[in-house]
């Protein structure tokens, strides 16, 4: 865990360089079976490790992250290093600037980026199969998907390649891979973390969030990342609590709401069972539970996809090949033909599907019927949650309706794939914070995610409850066995 | 066929050229004369992951204009995205405002008062809104024949305000008057210098009453508007004269060929898929902020006109023309205040110089007074020399050209040798010569006393305008009477 490593560096038991060397040997050993990474930066990472070791030896401050290795999702800009959103259209693109969270983690606190993780193209997907580089494999069983869209980050952490990573969550893209890979993933309140430098998919829904092995590491990254960024107008001026200090707080007397709709039809039996077992553990810790209703759950999928696709259709207009990324030049042609060819060749099937649907939803004559209606339902869903938070501190439920599915199983059935987001996307629609932590395994030995949803800006409470539950379950100590078998 | 009523509405886009930075990023706003693509950043280039942050000063400028145009400001609003593909639009959408789909303009209503002859007329405004300018496209020759397009993103993201009028204008001349007044108000608010090349663009909606309208796009200067409107109205009339029907369409003003070309008809109108820009939070303007801007609002042309009438005894008509160009009005005030002895007659004389010869010179040279070397001190000196009888008004007129390059009238007297001739003997000698040599005009004078003007003109020509006009006239009358006895 990050905390243990930091202690060892402080006690001069470990050098940062040793950690980085070890990380890359672990990656080299396992990457064939995982494909978590799409770009690695070994040389840069080793250089920075040596510099930091020297600085530390001289007694200089090296920030809060002590050169710890971190894996960053391929849609978060890292200056002068490839950032492609796992899309052909951005191949070769090196952003000229750092995302704000990258600035805070890498520049101000000296985490070391070891590489960029695989994802569904432009974060559109729940399986990491929609990547132009090919899929990532679930570390617990490589016939299964790692979840998505931040599947590379989930797999890299679950397999022990790295202990820290970043994902982004538009409709569950941090929590889904956290659940499927058996690690901790947090989607912060909308506006908690800066989105500056996160390549937009659906900008009113998404947040960058940490994926880590344990809750404490998650809290550590959140403390550094969270807070107002003058470069992101939607980032909020709300005090960032001392998350780590409050992890040990007693949760006695806290009220936990259990929404009946989130345990209904379509939720796998083993998932229900393990989540209920975790609720029993919380009860042993003297929390109160109440049964509540979030009646608009059935509308969340259409609402989420209408909003996300509409926004995507506009956000992805900038990829025309003129200023950056892939361009398909042709002699004596007009610019619109270049646009068409670039976009036609550069985007994958799922991205095209969402752009077309979003364009349709925003078109004259359809706007009121689709986009405006989705906005209205969005308000209803927010209100549902607010009613519950009048009575309860948090809401708990499964993160995903099932455990991981097989690679290829749903790829030709987009609607079924979209339905996988049913328990995660209401949180994005409402803009609330939520965490997924592992709460057990199913009969196929695949991990199950437990979701804790908080009220706005109450990351501290969900981290606190997640930590207390984690201490009881002790699942983070369990690592999958990844042999040298070829995939 | 009786004349159909002309209906014109204008959409004017002006750049907030007096801002230091662009609308959504911190890049410099003064792109003119700069190396192409030198004032750019990830935000105005629309790089993936970059986000806009609203320039608060632009909001203040828009508030100033809204107040100056008597609009009703929307205290809460959000931005929209206007989506379309074009190489000048790096994000694939323009951040703008929209008054449909739950959106609001920056401000609604308002009006501009214009004069038609001596009759005042209020032109109602529909709304004003804030938006960003696309990049600048550069072609070799015309866009159609150019083998390439170059894009300069220095202009990308510069703040624009769009001012939309109601279809209240009834002729190209009214449109010109409206634009003159609008330009004047903008100059007084201090938000933009519309003399800068490319700082304003106009789209005009034109129709003949009862017939479909056309929207003429891409009129790139105020001066072109009247010309484009005249052309388009004539086109409408010609179509109807031939017994054909007009269609609702968008047309493009080609300013080199000076005609409009059809771009697309109604059924092919672009669908911009306007929807809220969620990267910017809703803007809330506090009452106290609006009040502060109101308190700091500079004097507007209408108030200044009234003050000029009162403080400087100027006739309404003159005061009105004088205040239109703020630079001229400022120059006037500095000149009249440069000498404590100036009287109301001097104020009027200074006003006349500025409205007459000096404005004419500025027009001919296509410049404004601040760009010249003329100073209030020089103009003041000229007026004093006339008052002292050292030069005549005619001589003074010949000095204007040199004075615009900073030469002093005193030095010009020495340099040219020109000064007022007031010696009666000298003038009488010239008058006698003129009478002798122009007997035909003298005969004419018997029947038509106005012919005296022609004779005085001959004296002036002989003295190169130096003879005092009043003395010359008196002596001419005397001598004519004598010669006819
Ligand atoms: Zn910029």
């Amino acid at each position: 865990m990050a905390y243990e490593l930091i202690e060892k560096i402080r006690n001069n038991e470990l050098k940062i360089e040793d950690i980085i060397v070890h990380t890359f040997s672990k990656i080299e050993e396992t990457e064939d079976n995982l494909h978590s990474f799409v770009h690695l930066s070994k040389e840069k990472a080793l250089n920075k490790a040596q510099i930091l070791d020297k600085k530390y030896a001289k007694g200089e401050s090296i920030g809060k992250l002590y050169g710890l290795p971190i894996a960053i999702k391929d849609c978060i800009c890292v200056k002068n290093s490839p950032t492609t959103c796992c899309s052909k259209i951005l191949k070769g693109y090196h952003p000229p600037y750092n995302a704000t969270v990258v600035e805070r983690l890498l520049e101000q606190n000296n985490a070391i980026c070891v590489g960029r993780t695989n994802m569904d193209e432009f974060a559109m997907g729940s399986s990491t199969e929609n990547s132009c580089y090919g899929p990532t494999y679930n570390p617990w069983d490589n016939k299964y998907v790692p979840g998505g869209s931040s599947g590379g980050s989930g797999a890299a952490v679950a397999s022990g390649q790295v202990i820290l990573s970043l994902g982004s969550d538009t409709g569950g893209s941090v929590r889904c891979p956290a659940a499927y890979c058996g690690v901790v993933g947090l989607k912060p309140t909308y506006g908690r973390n800066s989105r500056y430098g996160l390549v937009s998919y659906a900008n009113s829904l998404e947040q960058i969030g940490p994926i880590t092995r344990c809750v404490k590491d998650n809290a550590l990254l959140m403390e550094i990342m969270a807070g107002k960024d003058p470069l992101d107008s939607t980032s909020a001026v709300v005090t960032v609590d001392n998350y780590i200090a409050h992890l040990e707080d007693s949760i006695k007397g806290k009220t936990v709401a259990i929404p009946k709709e989130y345990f209904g039809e379509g939720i796998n039996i083993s998932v229900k069972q393990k989540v209920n077992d975790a609720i029993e553990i919380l009860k042993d810790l003297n929390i109160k539970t109440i049964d509540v209703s979030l009646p608009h759950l059935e509308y969340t999928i259409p609402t989420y996809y209408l909003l996300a696709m509409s926004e995507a259709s506009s956000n992805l207009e900038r990829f025309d090949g003129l200023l950056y990324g892939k361009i398909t030049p042709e002699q004596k042609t007009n610019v619109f033909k270049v646009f068409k060819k670039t976009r036609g060749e550069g985007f994958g099937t799922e991205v095209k599907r969402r752009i077309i649907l979003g364009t349709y939803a925003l078109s004259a004559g359809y706007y009121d019927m689709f986009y405006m209606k989705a906005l209205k339902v969005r308000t209803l869903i927010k209100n549902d949650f607010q009613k519950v938070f009048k009575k309860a501190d948090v809401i708990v439920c499964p993160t995903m309706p099932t455990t991981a599915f097989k690679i290829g199983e749903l790829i030709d059935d987009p609607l079924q794939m979209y339905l996988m987001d049913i328990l995660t996307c209401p949180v994005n629609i409402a803009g609330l914070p939520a965490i997924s932590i592992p709460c057990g395994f199913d009969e196929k030995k695949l991990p199950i995610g437990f979701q804790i949803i908080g009220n706005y800006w109450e990351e501290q409470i969900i981290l606190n409850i997640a930590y207390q539950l984690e201490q009881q379950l002790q699942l983070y100590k369990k690592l999958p066995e990844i042999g040298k078998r070829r995939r | 066929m009786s004349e159909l009523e002309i209906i014109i509405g204008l959409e004017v886009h002006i750049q907030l050229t007096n801002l230091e930075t662009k609308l959504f990023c911190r890049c410099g706003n003064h792109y003119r004369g700069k190396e192409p693509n030198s004032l750019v950043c990830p935000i105005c280039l629309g790089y993936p992951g970059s986000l806009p942050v609203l320039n608060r000063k632009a909001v203040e400028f828009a508030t100033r204009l809204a107040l100056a145009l008597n609009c009703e400001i929307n205290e809460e609003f959000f931005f929209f995205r206007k989506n379309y593909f074009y190489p000048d639009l790096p994000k694939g959408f323009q951040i703008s405002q929209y008054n449909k789909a739950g959106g609001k303009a920056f401000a609604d209503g308002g009006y501009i008062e214009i004069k038609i002859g001596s009759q005042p007329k209020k032109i109602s405004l529909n709304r004003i809104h804030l938006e960003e300018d696309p990049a600048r496209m550069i072609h070799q020759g015309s866009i159609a024949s150019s083998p390439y397009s170059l894009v300069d993103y220095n202009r990308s993201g510069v703040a624009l305000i769009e001012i939309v009028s109601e279809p209240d204008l009834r002729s190209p001349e009214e449109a010109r008057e409206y634009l003159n007044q609008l330009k004047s108000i903008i100059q007084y608010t201090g938000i933009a210098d519309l003399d800068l090349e490319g700082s304003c663009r106009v789209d005009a909606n034109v129709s003949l009453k009862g017939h479909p309208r056309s929207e003429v796009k891409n009129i790139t200067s105020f001066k072109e508007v009247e010309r484009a409107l005249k052309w388009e109205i004539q086109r409408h009339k010609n179509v109807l004269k031939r017994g054909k029907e007009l269609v609702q369409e968008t047309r493009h003003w080609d300013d080199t060929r000076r005609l409009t070309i059809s771009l697309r008809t109604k059924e092919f109108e672009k669908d911009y898929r306007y929807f809220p820009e969620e990267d910017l939070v809703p803007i809330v303007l506090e009452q106290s902020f609006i009040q502060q801007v109101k308190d700091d609002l500079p004097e507007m042309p209408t108030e200044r006109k009234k003050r000029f009438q009162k403080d400087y005894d100027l006739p309404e008509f003159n005061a009105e023309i004088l205040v239109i160009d703020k630079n001229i009005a400022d120059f006037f005030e500095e000149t009249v205040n440069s000498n404590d002895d100036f009287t109301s007659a001097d104020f009027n004389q200074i006003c006349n110089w500025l409205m007459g010869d000096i404005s004419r010179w500025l027009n001919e040279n296509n410049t404004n007074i601040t760009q010249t070397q003329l100073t209030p001190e020089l103009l003041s000196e000229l007026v004093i020399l006339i008052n002292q009888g050292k030069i005549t008004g005619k001589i003074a007129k010949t000095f204007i050209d040199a004075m615009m390059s900073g030469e002093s009238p005193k030095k010009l007297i020495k340099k040219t040798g020109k000064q007022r001739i007031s010696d009666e003997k000298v003038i009488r000698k010239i008058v006698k010569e003129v009478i002798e040599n122009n007997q035909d005009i003298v005969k004419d004078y018997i029947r038509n006393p106005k012919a005296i003007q022609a004779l005085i003109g001959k004296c002036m020509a002989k003295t190169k305008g130096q003879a005092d006009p009043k003395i010359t006239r008196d002596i001419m009358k005397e001598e004519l009477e004598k010669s006819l006895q």
Side-chain angles (χ1 to χ4, degrees):
Chain A
M1 306 307 109
Y3 255 76
E4 295 161 9
L5 289 175
I6 290 172
E7 272 314 299
K8 284 184 177 158
I9 296 166
R10 281 177 159 172
N11 297 333
N12 293 316
E13 291 167 37
L14 258 184
K15 277 190 174 294
I16 296 167
E17 193 181 352
D18 298 337
I19 297 173
I20 299 296
V21 168
H22 171 79
T23 299
F24 278 99
S25 70
K26 176 88 185 177
I27 291 171
E28 277 149 30
E29 186 189 313
T30 53
E31 185 60 3
D32 268 356
N33 272 306
L34 294 169
H35 192 228
S36 340
F37 288 93
V38 294
H39 324 284
L40 285 166
S41 30
K42 190 173 176 180
E43 207 172 317
K44 263 191 199 171
L46 284 168
N47 269 337
K48 187 165 175 191
Q50 287 161 0
I51 292 168
L52 290 176
D53 275 331
K54 272 183 207 150
K55 268 192 164 179
Y56 194 63
K58 276 193 268 176
E60 287 174 43
S61 160
I62 55 168
K64 288 183 188 162
L65 292 172
Y66 292 87
L68 292 184
I70 188 168
I72 298 177
K73 193 179 181 183
D74 200 32
C75 58
I76 300 168
C77 291
V78 178
K79 192 173 174 176
N80 299 330
S81 117
T83 301
T84 69
C85 299
C86 292
S87 176
K88 273 203 294 193
I89 212 160
L90 274 175
K91 270 197 175 161
Y93 175 59
H94 293 208
Y97 71 100
N98 274 331
T100 298
V101 298
V102 168
E103 197 68 26
R104 289 180 183 176
L105 296 170
L106 265 49
E107 301 302 322
Q108 293 166 16
N109 287 287
N110 288 314
I112 292 178
C113 177
V114 293
R116 313 304 304 277
T117 54
N118 202 6
M119 59 185 279
D120 288 296
E121 184 180 2
F122 286 104
M124 297 179 185
S126 314
S127 68
T128 315
E129 291 168 290
N130 302 325
S131 160
C132 75
Y133 305 103
T136 293
Y137 303 89
N138 192 309
W140 296 93
D141 186 333
N142 66 3
K143 291 187 294 299
Y144 290 82
V145 303
S149 65
S150 315
S153 293
V157 171
S159 62
Q161 289 179 323
V162 290
I163 46 171
L164 304 173
S165 77
L166 290 186
S168 67
D169 191 315
T170 312
S173 288
V174 159
R175 290 160 290 155
C176 165
Y180 281 3
C181 294
V183 291
V184 180
L186 178 93
K187 182 260 160 195
T189 310
Y190 187 79
R192 183 55 105 181
N193 284 349
S194 168
R195 289 185 298 110
Y196 191 78
L198 166 65
V199 180
S200 293
Y201 152 33
N203 50 314
S204 85
L205 297 159
E206 60 210 5
Q207 277 283 293
I208 293 171
I211 298 178
T212 57
R213 289 194 58 79
C214 67
V215 175
K216 199 172 181 180
D217 289 355
N218 215 284
L220 172 68
L221 292 185
M222 276 305 293
E223 270 190 27
I224 294 169
M225 285 195 290
K228 175 70 187 169
D229 174 14
L231 295 172
D232 176 0
S233 314
T234 65
S235 71
V237 190
V238 177
T239 319
V240 178
D241 303 303
N242 190 339
Y243 302 130
I244 296 165
H246 288 286
L247 293 177
E248 307 276 356
D249 289 359
S250 162
I251 57 168
K252 191 180 165 184
K254 293 256 187 271
T255 307
V256 170
I258 302 165
K260 59 172 189 275
E261 292 86 354
Y262 285 57
F263 290 81
E265 214 184 308
I267 313 298
N268 173 281
I269 302 275
S270 321
V271 170
K272 252 190 247 187
Q273 187 55 49
K274 291 292 173 187
V275 170
N276 280 324
D277 291 351
I279 293 172
E280 288 306 315
I281 295 172
L282 287 176
K283 281 182 182 166
D284 292 343
L285 294 170
N286 292 314
I287 59 112
K288 280 188 295 185
T289 61
I290 52 166
D291 291 328
V292 295
S293 171
L294 290 163
H296 292 98
L297 181 71
E298 60 176 309
Y299 303 111
T300 54
I301 292 289
T303 303
Y304 168 75
Y305 277 97
L306 274 174
L307 293 173
M309 291 175 183
S310 298
E311 292 176 21
S313 72
S314 172
N315 286 326
L316 271 63
E317 277 177 345
R318 70 189 65 205
F319 302 103
D320 55 19
L322 276 197
L323 283 173
Y324 43 78
K326 186 186 154 74
I327 186 161
T328 312
E330 206 175 289
Q331 289 296 308
K332 293 191 177 168
T333 184
N334 77 45
V335 74
F336 297 103
K337 281 188 188 152
V338 175
F339 289 175
K340 277 182 193 164
K341 195 142 189 263
T342 302
R343 292 168 67 81
E345 289 176 4
F347 288 137
T349 311
E350 184 59 29
V351 173
K352 284 179 191 163
R353 174 162 31 237
R354 295 192 192 194
I355 290 174
I356 291 167
L357 288 169
T359 304
Y360 180 75
L362 289 178
S363 296
Y366 297 99
Y367 183 83
D368 290 345
M369 202 191 314
F370 294 129
Y371 185 80
M372 284 295 258
K373 190 157 277 177
L375 281 187
K376 283 177 191 155
V377 180
R378 185 175 204 172
T379 308
L380 295 176
I381 292 168
K382 281 184 186 174
N383 293 344
D384 278 0
F385 277 111
Q386 284 313 299
K387 271 183 208 152
V388 171
F389 284 120
K390 282 200 180 117
K391 299 180 282 189
D393 296 295
V394 297
I395 296 166
V396 298
C397 58
T399 309
M400 299 301 291
T402 66
T403 51
F405 46 90
K406 280 193 173 145
I407 289 172
E409 191 180 331
L410 297 183
I411 199 74
D412 296 320
D413 191 353
L415 270 179
Q416 203 55 41
M417 182 87 90
Y418 296 169
L419 283 171
M420 285 292 165
D421 298 337
I422 183 131
L423 305 178
T424 47
C425 71
V427 165
N428 301 77
I429 293 172
L432 296 165
I435 195 167
S436 177
I437 67 163
C439 68
F441 294 84
D442 72 353
E443 61 287 349
K444 289 173 281 183
K445 297 196 170 65
L446 292 170
I448 294 166
F450 182 82
Q451 183 171 219
I452 309 170
I453 304 167
N455 204 351
Y456 297 116
W457 317 114
E458 300 201 327
E459 282 81 358
Q460 186 221 301
I461 293 175
I462 59 176
L463 284 163
N464 179 204
I465 294 174
Y467 180 78
Q468 295 296 326
L469 180 60
E470 178 189 62
Q471 292 307 301
Q472 300 298 316
L473 292 165
Q474 296 282 327
L475 288 170
Y476 60 91
K477 292 179 176 163
K478 197 174 163 179
L479 272 173
E481 279 177 35
I482 299 153
K484 289 201 173 183
R485 57 183 193 248
R486 304 294 305 183
R487 61 180 187 236
Chain B
M1 194 169 77
S2 65
E3 281 286 286
L4 287 168
E5 189 174 23
I6 297 165
I7 297 165
I8 300 169
L10 297 180
E11 291 172 22
V12 180
H13 303 255
I14 60 142
Q15 285 181 341
L16 299 181
T17 61
N18 290 352
L19 286 175
E20 285 308 312
T21 54
K22 295 183 182 180
L23 186 53
F24 297 118
C25 66
R26 296 197 182 164
C27 289
N29 202 45
H30 307 296
Y31 66 84
R32 291 173 179 79
K34 297 278 160 54
E35 186 184 329
N37 298 310
S38 61
L39 300 174
V40 292
C41 73
I43 299 166
C44 56
L45 289 175
Y47 272 36
S50 67
L51 297 172
V53 175
L54 180 61
N55 180 340
R56 297 297 301 186
K57 196 77 185 168
V59 174
E60 189 196 315
F61 276 19
T63 307
R64 265 194 227 173
L65 184 62
L67 292 169
L69 295 175
N70 317 292
C71 305
E72 199 172 310
I73 294 172
N74 289 311
E75 288 166 29
E76 210 175 326
F77 62 86
F78 49 90
F79 283 91
F80 274 70
R81 290 182 180 181
K82 180 182 182 179
N83 298 285
Y84 63 95
F85 286 99
Y86 209 69
D88 65 3
L89 210 54
K91 297 189 294 298
F93 56 83
Q94 179 192 30
I95 305 178
S96 179
Q97 288 186 262
Y98 193 49
N99 65 345
K100 293 172 199 149
K104 280 177 183 164
F106 188 89
D108 294 308
Y111 61 87
I112 292 177
E113 198 172 287
I114 61 169
K115 278 268 172 71
I116 303 305
S118 57
Q119 286 301 306
K121 178 176 175 180
K122 265 187 189 175
I123 305 301
S124 296
L125 302 177
N126 180 284
R127 65 183 183 276
I128 71 169
H129 75 227
L130 260 176
E131 63 185 22
E132 57 177 341
D133 210 348
R136 200 163 63 100
M137 304 265 293
I138 296 149
H139 296 99
Q140 190 187 68
S142 91
I143 184 164
S145 62
S146 176
Y148 56 75
S149 293
L150 300 175
V151 190
D152 178 6
Y153 291 92
N154 283 354
R155 200 182 76 180
S156 173
V158 163
L160 293 179
I161 288 184
E162 182 176 350
I163 302 130
V164 183
S165 85
E166 294 290 356
D168 281 1
L169 299 160
R170 292 291 167 266
S171 67
E173 294 74 24
E174 284 190 24
R176 181 191 60 210
E177 263 315 294
Y178 166 82
L179 293 174
N180 284 343
Q181 289 302 329
L182 176 62
K183 184 180 176 188
S184 172
I185 291 165
I186 288 166
Q187 190 189 23
Y188 274 81
T189 57
I191 61 175
D193 176 0
L194 298 189
D195 286 328
L196 293 175
E197 187 264 322
S199 60
C200 45
R201 272 150 271 159
V202 180
D203 298 337
N205 285 299
V206 192
S207 65
L208 296 176
K209 195 166 187 176
H211 293 278
R213 68 185 162 87
S214 55
E215 184 179 5
V216 182
K217 288 204 171 278
N218 188 46
I219 313 173
T220 51
S221 78
F222 282 180
K223 283 182 183 163
E224 288 284 304
V225 173
E226 195 181 356
R227 191 178 284 146
L229 285 171
K230 280 183 175 159
W231 197 92
E232 184 61 13
I233 290 163
Q234 196 53 51
R235 191 187 67 83
H236 283 218
K237 287 180 178 168
N238 292 345
V239 170
L240 294 179
K241 212 180 277 171
R242 290 198 301 271
K244 290 189 180 160
E245 278 299 305
L246 286 155
V247 286
Q248 187 174 331
E249 61 183 332
T250 303
R251 301 181 68 88
H252 172 95
W253 173 245
D254 182 333
D255 58 6
T256 40
R257 291 195 291 162
R258 293 188 172 167
L259 45 83
T260 68
I261 308 153
S262 182
L263 280 182
R264 52 182 179 265
T265 50
K266 195 189 171 195
E267 56 266 39
F268 298 108
E269 275 305 315
K270 282 190 188 168
D271 180 358
Y272 292 116
R273 291 177 290 121
Y274 278 99
F275 84 112
E277 167 56 298
E278 298 270 5
D279 283 339
L280 291 162
V281 289
I283 314 303
V284 180
L285 303 180
E286 304 288 340
Q287 255 311 317
S288 58
F289 166 79
I290 296 172
Q291 190 57 46
Q292 188 62 52
V293 177
K294 204 175 206 167
D295 294 344
D296 296 345
L297 202 65
E299 186 184 36
M300 286 294 125
T302 3
E303 286 122 56
R304 198 172 204 187
K305 180 193 88 177
K306 284 179 195 147
R307 186 166 61 78
F308 276 16
Q309 285 178 257
K310 193 165 140 280
D311 290 1
Y312 304 118
D313 284 332
L314 300 184
E316 186 183 357
F317 179 79
N318 287 8
E320 203 166 280
I321 293 176
L322 192 66
V323 298
I324 277 208
D325 182 349
K326 181 173 182 292
N327 293 328
I328 295 266
D330 289 348
F331 196 96
F332 169 80
E333 288 218 271
E334 271 187 65
T335 311
V336 297
N337 291 321
S338 68
N339 190 319
D340 289 343
D341 297 333
F342 280 155
T343 62
S344 105
D346 299 319
F347 301 155
N348 276 283
Q349 190 186 164
I350 292 164
C351 170
N352 287 335
W353 280 112
L354 285 166
M355 281 168 53
D357 292 73
I358 294 172
S359 287
R360 200 172 305 126
W361 190 94
L362 294 171
N363 264 340
E364 279 163 10
N365 290 279
N366 200 16
T367 183
N368 77 62
I369 198 155
T370 57
Q371 306 290 307
T372 71
Q373 305 296 310
L374 184 70
T375 62
E377 291 69 36
L378 293 179
L379 182 56
S380 168
E381 192 181 303
L382 186 78
V383 169
I384 291 166
L385 288 171
I386 296 169
N387 287 350
Q388 289 171 342
K390 297 255 170 71
I391 52 172
T392 63
K394 279 247 162 65
I395 298 172
K397 273 175 189 285
T398 67
F399 286 179
I400 293 296
D401 193 47
M403 282 170 67
M404 298 313 277
S405 337
E407 287 200 54
S408 106
K410 274 185 190 157
K411 284 196 183 133
L412 284 165
I413 291 175
K414 275 189 197 148
K415 194 168 148 187
T416 60
K418 284 184 184 174
Q419 55 182 316
R420 189 177 73 119
I421 301 169
S422 56
D423 187 326
E424 290 194 16
K425 279 184 203 153
V426 179
I427 294 177
R428 196 173 297 276
K429 187 165 170 263
I430 294 163
V431 166
K432 280 181 175 163
E433 274 172 36
V434 167
I435 290 177
E436 212 171 289
N437 296 334
N438 294 284
Q439 279 302 314
D440 43 342
I441 303 178
V442 174
K443 268 179 207 148
D444 200 25
Y445 173 75
I446 303 168
R447 276 171 288 122
N448 174 20
K450 277 187 183 161
I452 191 169
Q453 212 50 49
L455 295 168
I456 294 169
K458 298 269 177 203
C459 299
M460 287 301 171
K462 273 201 141 159
T463 61
K464 293 191 178 117
Q466 295 177 90
D468 184 287
K470 192 175 175 301
I471 299 173
T472 310
R473 174 179 289 270
D474 291 346
I475 295 177
M476 181 61 79
K477 266 189 181 168
E478 263 177 55
E479 291 299 324
L480 280 172
E481 294 306 318
K482 271 192 221 161
S483 72
L484 292 174
Q485 273 163 13

